[in-house]
Each structure stands twice: as C-alpha cells, then as structure tokens.
Amino acid sequence: MATNVRVRRPATPPPGLPHIAPSSHKYPPIRQDHLSADERREAASKGYGPGRRSHSPGGLNITSGEWKLLAVVLLIAIGVRMFRISKPDSVVFDEVHFGKFAARYIKTRYFVDVHPPLAKLLITAAAFISGFNGDFDFKEIGKVFENAPYVAMRMVPATFGVATVPTAYLTLRALDCRATTALLASIFLTFENGLVTQSRHILLDSPLVFFTALTVFFFVGFSNEDKKEPFTEQWWTWLVLTGLSLGAVVSCKWVGLFTIATVGVCTILQLWLLLGDLRVSPRMWARHFFARAVCLILIPILFYMTMFQLHFLILGSSGEGDAFMSSEFRQTLGNGMEDTYADVALGSEITIRHLNTQGGYLHSHAHNYPGGSSQQQITLYPHRDDNNIWRVSNATVDGYEQYDYEHEPIVYIDHGSRIKLRHVVTDKALHSHEVRPPVSDVDFQNEVSAYGMTGFVGDINDDWVVEIEKGDRRDKESSKRLRTLRTHFKLRHLNTGCYLFSHKVKLPEWGFDQQEVTCNKNAVKANSLWYVETAAKHPQLPADAPKVNYKIPGFLSKFWELQRVMWTTNAGLTDRHMYDSRPSTWPRLRRGINFWVKDHRQIYLIGNPFVWWSSTASVITYIIVRGFLLLRAKRGYRDFDNTKVVKYDSLCGFLFVGYCMHYFPFFLMGRQLFLHHYFPALYFAILLNCAVFDLATSTLRPKIRLQIAAVLMIIAVFTYSKFSSLADARTAQWVKTWDFACHEFLDEYSQYSGVTVPTLNRTTPMATIGGEPGGRAAIVVEDKLGQDAIAPPEDEQSTAVPIGAPEPGRDVFAKDKQKEIKSQMIALQDVPVNVDEKEISAVTFTAAPEVVAEGKKEIRVQGGDVGATGEPEDQANPEVIDILAKEIEVELGEDVVDHRKPHGPLDHEEAIADQVAHELYPEARDAE
C-alpha cells in the first residue's frame, strides 16, 4: 500500500544570517570525554566501571569557595578546642594514667597498659620535644603540674580533635552530599561538648576518633575510584592510605577493631557484587581480592606490630610492668637473671615460681596471719627478693635418718621424693594443716604457713611429696628428676593429701596485697604446677656442673605475650565505678563523667544535647524508613528503581553500618564502660544525621536549605555555650541523672574572679595525751573542740576533690612504691576496729596497732608523736584531755571484753603497744 509522505522543508534563515546545515541539529559533535559503546564494552571486560575519562581524585569536587569556607570552620575549631587549654593547671581525669605513661617512656621504664601504644607515643613525642624529663609523676587528680609541659601534651589530642572537623566535611562531600550538609556536620562536630572536653586533655579518645574519621574518608575515596576505574595509581593510593589508617586506629585503642569490621563488611559487599558481575572475569576478581587483602589486612597488621616494636625499643629498662610478664620476657628488660645450676638436690637453695599466674615466687616474711593459726605468712611475691629462697631438706618422719648434704654423696630430687622446704631467712619450714585460710575460707582449702624455729626439726605437717608433671623434651633427665627451669612439678602435702596451690586472689592490706597461697584438696592442675627458677651451687656439685637460663624471646614471642596480658587485664576490669554507665544509656545521654573538681569548679564530660539527641533520632528514623521501604518492596513497589532512593540508601546504609559496628559490640562486654566509649559511634551518628538532612532538604531551593541549616547550627552553638561554662549547674541540669557537683559552685559567677588559690582539705585538729617524762607514751587524739576550745562549724565543706573520686576505674598496672619492699619488717599504721555504733575518737600512738574490742564503735590507731597542729606534747590542751579521757571511760565501760591481736604483723614495738593499750583499757587487762 502506497503512502504519501510530505517532508517539511527547513525554514529559510532570515536575511543576513548564515545558513545552518540540517545535520548540525540532528547529529551534535561527539564529546572528547565520552566513551563509545565498544569502548565501554572493552572497559567492562577488564573490570572497569562505566564513566568518563575526567574524574576528580576520590570523587571530591571541591570548589575554591568551599576551601575558603573550610578554612574558616577550621579556625573556629582551633579556637574552641585550644582556647585556655592550659586551664586547669592540674591533673584531670585519666591524665593520671596517660601522662604517667609518657613519663615512663621518657625514663625508658617498662610498663603495661590495656591500650596499644600509638597515641601514647605521640603524646610522649610532644612532651620530649618540649623538654620533659619524666620526673613529674601525675600521681593523682588535682595535683598541680610542676616542670611538666602539659600544654604541649594536651595540644596533641586537641590537634586531632581539630583535624576531625575538616575530615568530616570532606567525607560527606565525597559521599556526594551538598556543601551545606557538609558544613552542618562540621559545625556539629566543632561544637559537640563531649568531643571538645575529651580533646582538651591528655587522653586517647581524640586520636581514636580522628583516625576513625580518616579511615572512613580514605575508604570512601577508594570506593569512588573503584567505581570509576580500578588498579590505577590513584586507586592504589587511596587503598594503601585506607590500610595505613586502619593500622593507626587500632594502634590507638582496640576499639579500632570495630572500624576494621566496618571496612571489612563493606569490602565483602564490594567483592560480592563484583562476583555477580559477568563482565568481570575470575582472574580480574582474584586481583581485586588479593589487592584488598594485602592493603586492608596485611598493612594494618604490619603497622600495628611496628608500633609495638617501637614500644619495646623505647622501654628497655625494668619497671612497674615487670610483674605482669613472664620471666623470659623480663630477661630483655636489662635486669636479666644470671645463669643458674641445672641440678637440684637435697641441700640446694632454690627459688620456686608459680607456673600459671604471674603472681611470682613462693615467698615468706616475718609477719603472721591475723587469724587462723596466726603463723608466719606464705604468699606469692612478684619481685626477686632474699625472702624467696628455700633450702631443700629431707622429710621429717619417724626413723628417717638425717642427711648430711655437705659431706655425703649428692642425692637428687626424683619423682616421689619426700622433702621439706626450709625458709632460709626466717629458718621456718613450709607447713600446712587442717586450718582454713584467711581469705579462701572453704572446706577443701587448707592454710599454708611457715612454722618452726632454729634448731627445731619440725613435724609431719612440714613434709611434701614431689610429683613431676613433665619435663623439657630437650632435656631427658628433666622428666625423671627435678631440673631448674625444665621440670614442672606439684607438691603434695604428705599428711593431708592437698596440693600446694595459688590463684589470682590477693591478700588484704595485712598481706601487702600479695597473692594467696593455699593447700587445695581439689586443686586445678594448672594452678598447682611449679618450677624451680634458680638453684645455688650445691657443695657436692663439680665446678663444671651444667648451668641453664631462660631463652631470650624474640619480637613475636614478646608481642603475643603482651597481647595476652592486655586482653586478660582488659577483660578483668569488671569493678563498678560511680561514674560508669552501660551502652543502653549512651544514645539518650543519661549521665556524664566527673573529670575534675577543685577550687569551686568542675569539669564534667557531657555531650551537646541537641547534637546528641538529633543524631539518635536520625538513627531511629533510618531504621523506620528502611523497614518501611522493605515492606513496600515485599508488596511489589519498585522504590529501589529510583536512583535517588538508591543513592541515599547506600549513603545512609554505610553510615548506619558504621554506627552499629561501633556501638552494639559494647553490649557484649562485661568490663567497666563509660560515656566516652560511645564517641566513635557518635561520629557516625552525626554524619548520618546530616545525611538525613540532605535527603529531607533535597527538594528545597538552595537558599531555603541554607536557612534551615543555619537555624540548626545556631541551636547547636547555643546549646554548646549553655554547657561549656556553667554559672548555675541547676539551671543546666536538663536530665535529673546529670550529676553535676552543684554544691561545689559559688552562688554568683562574679565571685570566681577572687578565687585564685586551690582550697585544701580541712585538717582535723589533734590533741596530745600523755608523753610526760617517765610517764606513759604520748597519744594523739582528735580535738573536737579545737586547740582554742572553739568547735568548728559542722556545715563547713571542702571544695577539694577526694583523691581518685572522679577517676574512672583504677590503674590495674600501678604499683605502690612501698610494695616493692613488702617483705621487710614494717608496722601497720592505720587499722580501723569496730567497738559499738558510733565513732568516739581517733587514738594515736607510736607503736604498732592493737585491736581493742568488738562491737560497732571504731577506734583508729595511727602513728605519730605530736599533734597535727605541730605543738609540743607537753602543751596539749588540758581541758580537751579531760573531756576525751572521760568520754573514753564512759563510752567503753564494761563493753570492752575482748583483747584481740592486731590485723597484721607486729614488729619490735609490740611490747610498747601492749603497755599503752593496757594503760588505756584496764578492764580488758583485768579480763585476761
């Protein structure tokens, strides 16, 4: 069938204009950056994604105006985080720990911390460059800095806090968010009170959050490069930088493992999508896999291990962390053990170590148990000491001939040998009997003590049977007889059948916090194994007798051992603290942390409520909307065919995964947790909050969007200013669980201009009783009326912070300097004793303490010769003396019926203590 087609002739141009060819309208010129169909097909076969030849690095399309705007935001962040950073000029919060660690690095003294070393090394570098010599000890919260460059040390976390702000801006721009959205995120982070407070002190969370943000930025840049064209120079650069940043974040804190998990989940998703792309050959997919494995797994591991190598190189001297490490490890700390004799025989003087715990050596000292048998204490002591030395003798049984080890042929210790261990310093034997231990008071545990005296042979309760468990494969003799360092053995008590045992239970103060040793009838095998560490030369050994020593461990052995110690100690931080919190309370900002209280001022860690709660709301909004879209997809709706929905689903989904990975694992932890553990998750929540804002305002005109963002920024800044400096904490206590120290603040803000000197704790006035020449010993007691007979006001309050009160948790690695010499003879100086229902006095004398009577009243015994007021003993207020003497006589009366022994060992002043106690409490003396 024929059809007539009429073709319209192109219009004739007006006179004077050039003629335009019709082809120029129908076929526009090909752009130089466009890929043809064949070129796209070839690129897809090589694993390249569709795109154009021109591409900004990492997908960042930043205009010059944005760089200027970002510079202004950066200056604001610097001002917020560094303004008056020198205040306060005393130790705040965990500066107690991390400042002390910097001092240990500079002194090269070995210590152990539950956190990896990178952030601490950066703080140490700043301190070293500023001339810090490590003498300031950061001992307690509120201690004024002296000869310590604390401002330079605080500048390190402050710098990282500032750098987090532009990193967040660039991350959102790389995620294809608008400049207004990125600006909103940077302002939220700049004025987030919690992040600001954390970054102004010598703490580790600010570097942690920065490296978390940096990792996210690098990974987003890598993902953009991967979409454009893989295996280019820029692609490899972004991927390697991501791996290095992953190593840095996990080298600050183990919380960085959550960042690794976030990147790992997204990487697995990328590989999964590539596997389903038929344009990508298996060989190309393998290249993608190995490139990511090397850069995102191997590089972070190498970076992490390098930080510990630096840690070991710097800490080359013995320090407070020695006790947590094995003997092999301690050989590398400059205080190694000399070669020792391999053979152990009757008459050998040896030291014995516990195998399973780091409690240390089998130890005794001239102090008795306060209860039980009241015999000499047996403990585990972590340091080398003469009180760790024991002499191996034959067992004391009827008819057993005594062995002269100095002249008769040598007798080695075999499996089944019956021996006794004699403490060389005190000449007492290792002893056990059917008496319950003072701490582990259970039926299957017996007390272990040191019993006997010089010249006393001992009894059957001193006898032990050696049971060899295993020897070293390189030394066949070590499985047959006792060999130093090579033989693991058990000691079975001959009379009761229990095994010498120790576990991670510390004795109280009377035991100097040393580890308990018992005799366990149901002993766990691992905790009842021992080995000989040193053996002195036996008189019968030849001059060329073999010697042994610990094998010096290499880096990998030291690295793995330290990781185990860190893991075990971290998991053991289960003690509750007054300012700890659980993860369920963090998104709601239920409470903060008291960092510092002094001089009518307080530093209280609390977040910006507007930023915090709006971020939590955005997380909840994403969950609800995403769930709604899934329900619609199930009913056949094709929402995910919309490119806008797909874009924001990918963007918000990535940030939501990061939030979940950094938040929900804390629910699985039983250790101490605090609000600052939420900060990495908060960073993702803030970015997600701004991404939701970007979606909600995507249909608005730019001017309207900017106005809405400006309102949100103003609210954030106003809320920040509300909590950055409180004139009246009561008006700022929006939530009743925000436990500000309102009672510490002055009534008016203007009053602070006159407060310049820290308020000290009020010293209790003291008076001296006795001390007359030829009379009874001087006793210092509390002067309730004061030296001027004027009672102090009862409502007087001190603004000085109680030592350690704001500190979250305890420093589990800290060692009291006096504990290094616990085995020496000392006298306890402060032992509370209950007598009745109320405290009647504080009694003090120069001798060791004496427990006087039972009940609920408390008499506190302390050391000292003069009153706290510094007056001579003969100038004590007689009126006060009469009042207190009558009070003691009336209050105690006939209630004093039990004259007990003190809670702890007595020394040579015991007689003086008894005399003074009898003079004070004649009723107790008569009752005896």
Side-chain angles (χ1 to χ4, degrees):
M1 180 174 63
T3 304
N4 294 326
V5 179
R6 182 180 178 183
V7 179
R8 180 180 296 272
R9 181 177 61 83
T12 302
L17 292 179
H19 178 73
I20 300 176
S23 59
S24 63
H25 291 279
K26 297 178 61 176
Y27 305 102
I30 298 176
R31 293 177 300 187
Q32 297 297 323
D33 62 346
H34 184 73
L35 294 178
S36 65
D38 293 335
E39 290 174 332
R40 289 198 301 270
R41 188 179 300 108
E42 181 181 1
S45 65
K46 296 180 180 179
Y48 301 156
R52 297 175 180 175
R53 292 188 178 90
S54 62
H55 179 75
S56 58
L60 282 173
N61 296 309
I62 307 295
T63 64
S64 60
E66 286 185 73
W67 287 115
K68 296 176 182 178
L69 178 64
L70 191 57
V72 173
V73 174
L74 189 62
L75 292 176
I76 296 174
I78 292 174
V80 170
R81 280 165 171 77
M82 297 187 181
F83 175 68
R84 299 183 65 186
I85 198 172
S86 60
K87 303 297 182 181
D89 60 350
S90 58
V91 179
V92 175
F93 191 54
D94 273 353
E95 290 182 339
V96 166
H97 307 315
F98 304 123
K100 179 184 65 177
F101 294 151
R104 296 294 182 270
Y105 274 124
I106 291 175
K107 293 289 188 180
T108 71
R109 295 174 183 172
Y110 187 78
F111 68 90
V112 178
D113 182 32
V114 295
H115 303 303
L118 175 58
K120 298 191 291 287
L121 287 172
L122 294 173
I123 294 172
T124 302
F128 180 77
I129 294 173
S130 302
F132 184 41
N133 58 11
D135 289 339
F136 187 76
D137 57 7
F138 295 86
K139 186 176 182 180
E140 60 191 25
I141 295 175
K143 183 173 183 178
V144 178
F145 289 108
E146 296 179 0
N147 299 322
Y150 69 98
V151 174
M153 299 170 73
R154 288 177 177 175
M155 287 288 289
V156 174
T159 302
F160 284 116
V162 170
T164 304
V165 174
T167 304
Y169 184 97
L170 297 176
T171 300
L172 286 179
R173 292 294 286 127
L175 287 170
D176 200 22
C177 288
R178 296 171 177 83
T180 303
T181 303
L183 177 62
L184 180 65
S186 63
I187 294 298
F188 278 1
L189 289 169
T190 299
F191 294 98
E192 208 297 301
N193 298 68
L195 294 175
V196 171
T197 304
Q198 197 76 5
S199 63
R200 288 175 57 87
H201 301 101
I202 308 173
L203 304 173
L204 307 186
D205 291 274
S206 187
L208 172 70
V209 173
F210 168 74
F211 284 118
T212 300
L214 190 66
T215 300
V216 174
F217 170 63
F218 284 150
F219 183 72
V220 170
F222 161 73
S223 300
N224 291 337
E225 291 292 336
D226 190 59
K227 293 176 183 177
K228 189 257 179 181
E229 182 178 351
F231 303 109
T232 62
E233 182 178 351
Q234 290 187 359
W235 186 89
W236 281 107
T237 300
W238 286 97
L239 185 59
V240 171
L241 289 175
T242 303
L244 291 173
S245 186
L246 283 173
V249 69
V250 76
S251 296
C252 290
K253 277 189 172 184
W254 276 354
V255 176
L257 292 172
F258 302 154
T259 308
I260 293 179
T262 302
V263 174
V265 168
C266 297
T267 301
I268 292 174
L269 178 61
Q270 289 178 350
L271 292 174
W272 179 255
L273 295 177
L274 284 175
L275 187 63
D277 190 347
L278 300 180
R279 298 170 298 178
V280 179
S281 65
R283 184 174 181 178
M284 181 61 62
W285 187 89
R287 288 184 63 189
H288 279 278
F289 175 82
F290 285 109
R292 286 166 169 82
V294 170
C295 294
L296 301 182
I297 298 177
L298 183 59
I299 289 181
I301 291 176
L302 293 177
F303 188 99
Y304 181 76
M305 296 177 70
T306 301
M307 294 300 102
F308 278 94
Q309 178 66 9
L310 292 175
H311 179 79
F312 294 144
L313 290 175
I314 296 174
L315 302 179
S317 304
S318 178
E320 62 186 18
D322 294 10
F324 297 92
M325 313 310 297
S326 67
S327 298
E328 292 87 349
F329 192 104
R330 286 186 289 180
Q331 289 292 103
T332 65
L333 297 178
N335 191 23
M337 183 183 73
E338 297 181 357
D339 292 348
T340 184
Y341 288 92
D343 291 306
V344 179
L346 292 179
S348 295
E349 293 185 358
I350 62 175
T351 59
I352 303 174
R353 282 190 67 93
H354 194 238
L355 181 65
N356 193 41
T357 67
Q358 297 297 335
Y361 301 88
L362 186 66
H363 177 91
S364 186
H365 41 234
H367 303 295
N368 298 337
Y369 291 115
S373 66
S374 298
Q375 295 175 3
Q376 187 169 297
Q377 298 174 14
I378 298 292
T379 65
L380 283 191
Y381 183 63
H383 306 285
R384 291 169 183 165
D385 188 87
D386 289 342
N387 280 328
N388 303 335
I389 302 176
W390 301 83
R391 181 182 295 113
V392 184
S393 304
N394 62 308
T396 305
V397 294
D398 294 339
Y400 196 97
E401 183 180 356
Q402 295 298 311
Y403 168 72
D404 184 4
Y405 64 86
E406 293 185 356
H407 302 93
E408 297 186 18
I410 191 169
V411 177
Y412 296 110
I413 309 299
D414 302 322
H415 178 77
S417 294
R418 294 160 57 174
I419 65 171
K420 62 180 179 181
L421 296 172
R422 199 81 179 178
H423 191 240
V424 173
V425 175
T426 61
D427 200 19
K428 297 180 184 292
L430 186 68
H431 182 92
S432 186
H433 41 219
E434 290 288 348
V435 176
R436 302 286 79 78
V439 176
S440 299
D441 187 2
V442 290
D443 293 339
F444 57 86
Q445 297 263 36
N446 288 344
E447 178 190 85
V448 176
S449 63
Y451 175 70
M453 64 184 68
T454 302
F456 177 66
V457 177
D459 57 30
I460 196 172
N461 282 329
D462 300 341
D463 298 346
W464 302 83
V465 178
V466 176
E467 296 183 1
I468 293 178
E469 186 65 26
K470 73 171 185 176
D472 194 325
R473 290 178 298 178
R474 298 169 297 178
D475 185 357
K476 295 182 180 179
E477 292 295 323
S478 63
S479 59
K480 302 176 183 178
R481 58 187 174 92
L482 217 58
R483 298 271 285 183
T484 305
L485 298 179
R486 308 273 176 88
T487 304
H488 298 168
F489 63 93
K490 297 189 290 186
L491 287 176
R492 176 170 55 85
H493 193 244
L494 179 64
N495 193 32
T496 61
C498 56
Y499 286 89
L500 192 66
F501 175 88
S502 186
H503 50 170
K504 293 184 178 181
V505 173
K506 299 293 184 181
L507 295 175
E509 185 178 356
W510 53 257
F512 313 110
D513 296 323
Q514 296 175 16
Q515 190 164 308
E516 182 187 38
V517 175
T518 64
C519 196
N520 195 327
K521 299 176 182 178
N522 300 325
V524 177
K525 176 181 175 182
N527 285 343
S528 56
L529 291 178
W530 306 79
Y531 70 94
V532 176
E533 183 179 79
T534 63
K537 186 179 183 304
H538 192 278
Q540 301 298 325
L541 285 177
D544 59 347
K547 292 184 177 181
V548 294
N549 206 332
Y550 288 109
K551 180 182 178 181
I552 302 298
F555 167 73
L556 288 179
S557 298
K558 295 172 63 178
F559 173 78
W560 284 115
E561 180 178 344
L562 182 54
Q563 302 309 301
R564 289 193 298 269
V565 171
M566 292 167 60
W567 177 269
T568 303
T569 308
N570 197 13
L573 298 176
T574 57
D575 295 340
R576 295 303 306 272
H577 187 273
M578 65 176 67
Y579 290 104
D580 66 0
S581 55
R582 298 310 301 170
S584 59
T585 66
W586 298 342
R588 296 175 291 161
L589 196 61
R590 293 290 294 169
R591 72 181 309 212
I593 308 172
N594 183 16
F595 268 22
W596 180 88
V597 179
K598 190 176 182 181
D599 198 24
H600 302 287
R601 295 176 172 89
Q602 180 185 28
I603 297 177
Y604 188 87
L605 177 71
I606 195 71
N608 186 317
F610 174 72
V611 175
W612 206 286
W613 291 333
S614 62
S615 300
T616 301
S618 68
V619 173
I620 297 174
T621 301
Y622 172 78
I623 296 174
I624 295 174
V625 172
R626 191 62 167 83
F628 180 69
L629 291 177
L630 288 176
L631 291 177
R632 284 175 55 87
K634 196 68 175 177
R635 297 298 299 172
Y637 292 92
R638 304 175 64 87
D639 296 318
F640 289 98
D641 290 345
N642 188 317
T643 56
K644 182 177 179 180
V645 173
V646 172
K647 170 190 171 181
Y648 283 102
D649 179 65
S650 301
L651 191 160
C652 296
F654 168 68
L655 298 176
F656 179 75
V657 169
Y659 175 83
C660 293
M661 288 294 180
H662 288 79
Y663 174 56
F664 289 106
F666 286 106
F667 284 91
L668 305 177
M669 300 182 186
R671 57 151 291 174
Q672 270 183 358
L673 295 173
F674 297 89
L675 183 65
H676 59 77
H677 288 108
Y678 184 69
F679 284 161
L682 176 65
Y683 176 79
F684 283 95
I686 291 175
L687 296 190
L688 180 58
N689 187 14
C690 296
V692 171
F693 167 83
D694 195 83
L695 171 61
T697 60
S698 59
T699 59
L700 301 178
R701 290 182 298 172
K703 184 178 180 180
I704 302 299
R705 184 187 306 113
L706 181 60
Q707 291 173 349
I708 296 176
V711 172
L712 297 178
M713 295 177 197
I714 292 172
I715 296 175
V717 173
F718 172 78
T719 311
Y720 167 79
S721 62
K722 177 69 175 177
F723 293 92
S724 61
S725 179
L726 301 181
D728 187 357
R730 288 162 292 192
T731 61
Q733 195 170 9
W734 294 358
V735 180
K736 63 180 180 181
T737 52
W738 294 354
D739 42 1
F740 300 135
C742 300
H743 62 280
E744 293 288 346
F745 300 148
L746 298 177
D747 295 333
E748 297 180 4
Y749 192 79
S750 59
Q751 294 178 283
Y752 284 94
S753 59
V755 179
T756 57
V757 180
T759 305
L760 301 178
N761 282 324
R762 178 171 56 90
T763 302
T764 303
M766 307 296 289
T768 306
I769 302 177
E772 302 85 357
R776 60 182 180 177
I779 303 173
V780 181
V781 298
E782 179 181 354
D783 185 356
K784 295 184 177 180
L785 297 180
Q787 291 295 336
D788 297 328
I790 300 176
E794 296 183 357
D795 59 347
E796 179 179 350
Q797 296 181 354
S798 170
T799 62
V801 61
I803 294 177
E807 180 181 355
R810 55 188 172 85
D811 184 2
V812 295
F813 299 107
K815 294 291 183 181
D816 191 342
K817 294 182 179 179
Q818 294 182 353
K819 293 180 181 179
E820 299 289 335
I821 55 173
K822 288 292 184 165
S823 62
Q824 299 182 7
M825 297 290 291
I826 62 175
L828 296 181
Q829 295 185 349
D830 193 359
V831 181
V833 183
N834 291 329
V835 179
D836 203 344
E837 295 183 354
K838 65 177 182 179
E839 180 175 320
I840 58 172
S841 65
V843 182
T844 309
F845 54 85
T846 58
E850 275 292 332
V851 175
V852 181
E854 288 186 341
K856 297 183 179 179
K857 287 186 180 177
E858 185 177 59
I859 297 178
R860 189 172 298 275
V861 183
Q862 302 176 348
D865 296 324
V866 297
T869 58
E871 296 184 0
E873 297 173 1
D874 56 357
Q875 296 181 9
N877 193 326
E879 181 180 353
V880 176
I881 296 175
D882 293 338
I883 293 175
L884 292 175
K886 291 179 181 180
E887 184 179 357
I888 293 174
E889 181 179 359
V890 173
E891 292 287 348
L892 291 179
E894 299 297 330
D895 294 336
V896 182
V897 297
D898 185 15
H899 181 71
R900 295 182 177 226
K901 293 186 177 181
H903 291 289
L906 296 177
D907 57 8
H908 62 280
E909 298 179 337
E910 180 178 0
I912 301 175
D914 291 338
Q915 178 183 356
V916 174
H918 289 329
E919 291 177 356
L920 277 174
Y921 310 107
E923 296 86 353
R925 179 188 58 189
D926 297 337
E928 295 180 350

